[in-house]
Amino acid sequence: MQDRIAESEFILNSRGAVYHLDVRPEELATTIITVGDPDRVQQVSQHFDKVEHRSNHREFVTHTGYIGSKRLSVVSTGIGTDNIDIVLNELDALANIDFNTRFIKQTPVRLQIIRLGTSGALNEHIPVDAYVVSSFGLGLDNLLPWYELENTADEKAMLVAFSQQVTLRPGSANPYLAAASTDLSKHFQEGYHTGITVTCPGFYAPQGRALRGRLSHPQLLEQLTGFGFESHRITNFEMETAGIYGLGRVLGHDCLSISTIVANRIRQEFSKDGAAAVQRMIEKSVEIIAEI
Ligand code: R1P
Ligand code: URA
């Protein structure tokens, strides 16, 4: 028999809510939209017919409500896969751990987790203000090497091709890969580009941006743009997708990441009104999510 999970490992606050998110099991839906920016939570929940729960702790803002009869939550993650480690584990705990007994529930609940974020394009044909659905998350950030992530044969072959074509400085990254949920991605086709999203452990040098710090890997953009495996190409990079896909796989959830392209790094263009483009992505995507 499994052990009761100790107070030091699974932390609840004084109202019996999971520590970082400050959410109780009954306050979370099984379809969850994640956003990086806490201010974007309200931009999503304004499309709900009714909001029944709001919580707010550190960078983690949660609203739960309904569109028609569909119950949805929207949760902000803040930036980076260190935060994704916290958010995905706590969402999973809310669904799959009994908060009273501290035992794992017998029947696993599979969540739908959909990121609505922003990203930089690595393909000159994907313009700013376009939307990209990530077919794969390819992590350079080192979160998933801490978990037992099982890869398919195709994913393993893609990782081998990546290590042959993209020469990272030894010790800088331990690349990992996980695919999107096709059950979710099949709903997001018209009006969305599709491709591999690279998840980076930072915004500047880890995405090839040189301000005053010199880059250890000045060929990064060129190598990522040139990468190919069968028909798969890298379209964009950001800071959460691979963590969501990888940890979603480990924990047994269906995950999808959708990004508004706010910068095209090949053309060196930046959106003139990224906020409006993000708002359009939210409207278009939430309408689809409400029907899934
Ligand atoms: C960097 O500015 C942030 O923007 C992107 C990156 O992944 C990173 O979190 O996503 P969000 O706009 O969803 O935060
Ligand atoms: N977010 C990123 O991480 N990179 C970009 O270029 C734009 C948004």
Side-chain angles (χ1 to χ4, degrees), residues 138-214:
L138 198 160
L140 302 182
D141 57 282
N142 276 336
L143 174 62
L144 264 294
W146 294 93
Y147 290 90
E148 292 288 350
L149 171 66
E150 286 183 22
N151 280 121
T152 63
D154 274 359
E155 289 171 347
K156 284 180 187 160
M158 196 187 290
L159 272 175
V160 170
F162 186 79
S163 67
Q164 289 164 345
Q165 295 176 41
V166 179
T167 49
L168 299 168
R169 195 156 85 163
S172 63
N174 190 354
Y176 67 90
L177 184 75
S181 155
T182 48
D183 279 352
L184 290 177
S185 64
K186 68 183 182 201
H187 298 284
F188 299 86
Q189 292 188 1
E190 208 184 312
Y192 296 89
H193 298 263
T194 303
I196 304 168
T197 297
V198 173
T199 294
C200 303
F203 185 82
Y204 290 97
Q207 294 185 23
R209 288 188 171 92
L211 301 185
R212 283 177 21 83
R214 274 182 52 207

Side-chain angles (χ1 to χ4, degrees), residues 79-82 122 138-142 176 197-209 220-221 224 236-243 265:
I79 290 179
T81 56
D82 46 355
L122 288 169
L138 198 160
L140 302 182
D141 57 282
N142 276 336
Y176 67 90
T197 297
V198 173
T199 294
C200 303
F203 185 82
Y204 290 97
Q207 294 185 23
R209 288 188 171 92
L220 182 67
L221 263 56
L224 293 179
N236 60 313
F237 53 18
E238 46 69 90
M239 298 179 64
E240 292 84 22
T241 295
R265 299 296 305 291

Side-chain angles (χ1 to χ4, degrees), residues 61-236:
V61 176
T62 302
H63 292 179
T64 295
Y66 285 87
I67 299 180
S69 60
K70 176 88 174 180
R71 191 165 183 247
L72 295 161
S73 292
V74 51
V75 181
S76 60
T77 65
I79 290 179
T81 56
D82 46 355
N83 279 6
I84 293 303
D85 183 51
I86 288 171
V87 173
L88 268 273
N89 273 290
E90 293 194 3
L91 293 178
D92 178 70
L94 283 158
N96 287 308
I97 297 177
D98 183 319
F99 276 38
N100 295 315
T101 64
R102 296 179 161 270
F103 282 95
I104 294 170
K105 292 181 186 169
Q106 293 290 328
T107 313
V109 173
R110 202 169 176 89
L111 301 171
Q112 293 179 318
I113 300 172
I114 302 163
R115 169 182 178 270
L116 296 180
T118 64
S119 181
L122 288 169
N123 176 325
E124 63 174 330
H125 303 297
I126 300 183
V128 292
D129 299 346
Y131 311 129
V132 173
V133 171
S134 305
S135 52
F136 294 85
L138 198 160
L140 302 182
D141 57 282
N142 276 336
L143 174 62
L144 264 294
W146 294 93
Y147 290 90
E148 292 288 350
L149 171 66
E150 286 183 22
N151 280 121
T152 63
D154 274 359
E155 289 171 347
K156 284 180 187 160
M158 196 187 290
L159 272 175
V160 170
F162 186 79
S163 67
Q164 289 164 345
Q165 295 176 41
V166 179
T167 49
L168 299 168
R169 195 156 85 163
S172 63
N174 190 354
Y176 67 90
L177 184 75
S181 155
T182 48
D183 279 352
L184 290 177
S185 64
K186 68 183 182 201
H187 298 284
F188 299 86
Q189 292 188 1
E190 208 184 312
Y192 296 89
H193 298 263
T194 303
I196 304 168
T197 297
V198 173
T199 294
C200 303
F203 185 82
Y204 290 97
Q207 294 185 23
R209 288 188 171 92
L211 301 185
R212 283 177 21 83
R214 274 182 52 207
L215 304 181
S216 68
H217 198 299
Q219 296 84 24
L220 182 67
L221 263 56
E222 203 182 311
Q223 289 195 340
L224 293 179
T225 303
F227 172 73
F229 174 72
E230 298 174 348
S231 62
H232 302 288
R233 297 289 179 276
I234 292 170
T235 43
N236 60 313

Side-chain angles (χ1 to χ4, degrees), residues 249-261:
R249 166 93 49 93
V250 168
L251 298 170
H253 303 298
D254 286 317
C255 299
L256 191 70
S257 174
I258 302 172
S259 299
T260 298
I261 297 302

Side-chain angles (χ1 to χ4, degrees), residues 40-83:
R40 205 179 297 148
V41 170
Q42 198 271 335
Q43 279 181 270
V44 173
S45 71
Q46 72 184 355
H47 299 288
F48 293 2
D49 297 324
K50 175 177 129 193
V51 177
E52 63 178 16
H53 168 77
R54 289 186 176 80
S55 52
N56 181 344
H57 181 223
R58 296 185 180 230
E59 58 266 67
F60 309 112
V61 176
T62 302
H63 292 179
T64 295
Y66 285 87
I67 299 180
S69 60
K70 176 88 174 180
R71 191 165 183 247
L72 295 161
S73 292
V74 51
V75 181
S76 60
T77 65
I79 290 179
T81 56
D82 46 355
N83 279 6

